[in-house]
């Protein structure tokens, strides 16, 4: 009887605790609903009273002046909308406080050969530091995502648009602009914030720039990180699903976004724009001529995931397997933009590493160069090099192939899934993973017969028309057309 009474008492306490918890949750949901309605009314009034009349389309791109592939997508999308819908007011939320609108637009033309009409408004955001990785030594993904909400609040307070388009992958801003701002949401995702490949890396305890050595070597820390990643992936999926239209840049990104966001019927694969029409018209490199240099070009922003050290290790390995007179001709040319002080530090580290490997006389760094100089470098080079693991797409790879370079890219992500064909008879380039493999392939290319090299160059050029700027503009307008049709109705 005593045991029965004890059990009944425990059950009563548990039931009471559950009732209290449920009541608290319901109360919290009630308060949240009231706040949501209140905020929605405030921002609806802000939209009504804004000075911009007609449809306002806002692009969320805090690093619009960075000069990378993501920025090419931004400006090409804006150009497409300006061409078809000239009366629409376009806004760009940017954190580039050191550049005025004229400088930003001039750089877009200088870097990408894209001319944007000047009737575009820039809204400057002062809280961009909260989306930068250095602010969060631990739980970086979660910290940056929460920081993006804070940055999004600043953007929304400055202007409430009708259509919100994120072109940098800040999915946690979507619920903010949808439920509080009352906006239609469009998303162009270059790279998922978290992917099943990242989970697999942690599970296999692989050391990388997203998985520190101390975690990879400790099974308990690895298990904790897997739990953290899974929880984050759940939240990321919930946020991403609030987008009305989802656009992705490659089949690799599409696969991971569909796995996490679970909205395949709203997802459009739209390859990024590349100036293939101009690049394919350049004279093809002549392998029959005796050249004083063998120039190998790498085009990539100086970010850690681009893995520039792997390319330097490749050169170190290459030197040991080719003749010295051939090595003296080789020049590895790093071309890329620096977004901030962190990128500049990475460039200095690469320069020091090249000296450590005794490669400094064979390595060149060209930073923030104009498009005309980039084209000139592509005309002088014969081989293109790319080293990023799971590159989402690879605009620079397409550029190199269009210019007639023989491309050696990482055997993962977009380059393997969408761009490079390695089968004999239809080969358009080469794929590798480790430094030794890269080095052997480059040595093989150097020693190939000129006719065989020309066959690959021509096949590569013929394969890149599906990545043209014109096709990108048509596809992105087709995907976003429902936004403008609904607003006009």
């Amino acid at each position: 009887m005593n045991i029965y009474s004890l059990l009944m008492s425990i059950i009563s306490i548990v039931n009471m605790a559950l009732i209290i918890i449920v009541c608290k949750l319901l109360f919290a949901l009630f308060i949240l609903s009231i706040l949501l309605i209140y905020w929605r009314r405030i921002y609806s009034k802000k939209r009504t009273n804004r000075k911009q009349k007609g449809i306002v389309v806002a692009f969320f791109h805090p690093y619009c002046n960075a000069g990378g592939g993501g920025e090419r997508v931004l400006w090409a999308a804006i150009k497409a909308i300006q061409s078809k819908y000239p009366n629409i007011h376009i806004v760009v939320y940017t954190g580039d406080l050191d550049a005025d609108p004229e400088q930003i637009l001039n750089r877009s033309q200088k870097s990408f050969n894209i001319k944007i009409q000047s009737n575009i408004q820039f809204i400057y955001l002062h809280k961009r530091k909260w989306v930068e990785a250095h602010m969060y030594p631990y739980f970086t993904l979660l910290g940056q995502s929460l920081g993006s909400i804070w940055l999004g609040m600043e953007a929304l307070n400055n202007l409430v648009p009708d259509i919100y388009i994120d072109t940098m992958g800040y999915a946690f801003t979507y619920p903010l602009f949808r439920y509080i701002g009352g906006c239609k949401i469009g998303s162009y995702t270059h790279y998922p914030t978290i992917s099943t490949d990242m989970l697999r890396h942690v599970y296999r305890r692989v050391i990388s720039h997203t998985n520190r050595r101390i975690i990879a070597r400790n099974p308990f820390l690895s298990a904790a990180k897997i739990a953290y990643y899974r929880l984050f992936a759940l939240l990321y999926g919930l946020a991403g699903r609030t987008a009305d239209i989802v656009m992705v840049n490659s089949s690799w990104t599409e696969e991971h976004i569909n796995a996490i966001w679970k909205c395949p019927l709203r997802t459009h694969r739209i390859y990024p724009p590349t100036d293939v029409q101009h690049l394919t018209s350049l004279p093809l490199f002549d392998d029959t001529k005796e050249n004083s240099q063998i120039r190998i070009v790498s085009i990539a922003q100086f970010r850690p995931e681009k893995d520039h050290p792997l390319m330097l290790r490749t050169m170190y390995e290459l030197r040991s397997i080719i003749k010295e007179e051939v090595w003296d001709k080789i020049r590895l040319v790093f071309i890329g933009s620096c977004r901030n002080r962190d990128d500049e530090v990475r460039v200095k580290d690469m320069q020091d590493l090249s000296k450590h490997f005794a490669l400094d006389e064979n390595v060149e760094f060209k930073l923030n160069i104009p498009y005309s100089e980039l084209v000139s470098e592509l005309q002088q080079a014969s081989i293109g090099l790319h080293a990023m693991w799971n590159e989402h797409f690879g605009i620079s790879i397409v550029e190199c192939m269009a210019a007639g370079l023989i491309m050696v890219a990482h055997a993962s992500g977009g380059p393997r899934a969408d761009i490079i064909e390695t089968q004999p008879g239809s080969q358009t380039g080469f794929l590798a993973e480790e430094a030794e493999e890269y080095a052997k392939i480059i040595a093989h290319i150097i020693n190939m017969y000129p006719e065989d090299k020309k066959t690959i160059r021509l096949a590569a050029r013929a394969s890149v028309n599906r990545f043209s700027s014109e096709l990108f503009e048509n596809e992105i307008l087709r995907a976003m057309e429902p936004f403008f049709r609904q607003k006009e109705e």
Side-chain angles (χ1 to χ4, degrees), residues 314-345:
T314 295
M315 291 297 104
Y316 180 78
E317 295 293 336
L318 178 64
R319 185 173 190 174
S320 65
I321 61 175
I322 61 174
K323 296 178 180 178
E324 194 64 28
E325 57 266 27
V326 177
W327 171 253
D328 291 339
K329 292 183 178 182
I330 290 176
R331 295 293 182 275
L332 172 60
V333 185
F334 287 122
I335 300 173
S337 59
C338 285
R339 301 164 300 169
N340 49 38
R341 176 64 182 161
D342 290 342
D343 288 356
E344 292 170 2
V345 170

Side-chain angles (χ1 to χ4, degrees), residues 29-41:
L29 288 172
F30 175 74
I31 295 298
L32 185 61
S33 299
I34 296 296
L35 289 173
L36 190 62
I37 294 169
Y38 173 72
W39 287 330
R40 182 73 172 260
R41 286 182 177 177

Side-chain angles (χ1 to χ4, degrees), residues 318 321-322 383 406 408 427 429-430 436-450 452-453 456:
L318 178 64
I321 61 175
I322 61 174
I383 299 172
I406 297 178
V408 187
Q427 187 170 15
F430 295 86
E436 295 83 358
E437 188 180 4
Y438 273 98
K440 288 177 182 178
I441 290 173
I442 293 172
H444 170 69
I445 294 171
I446 292 171
N447 293 319
M448 285 174 67
Y449 289 114
D452 294 336
K453 293 181 186 179
I456 294 177

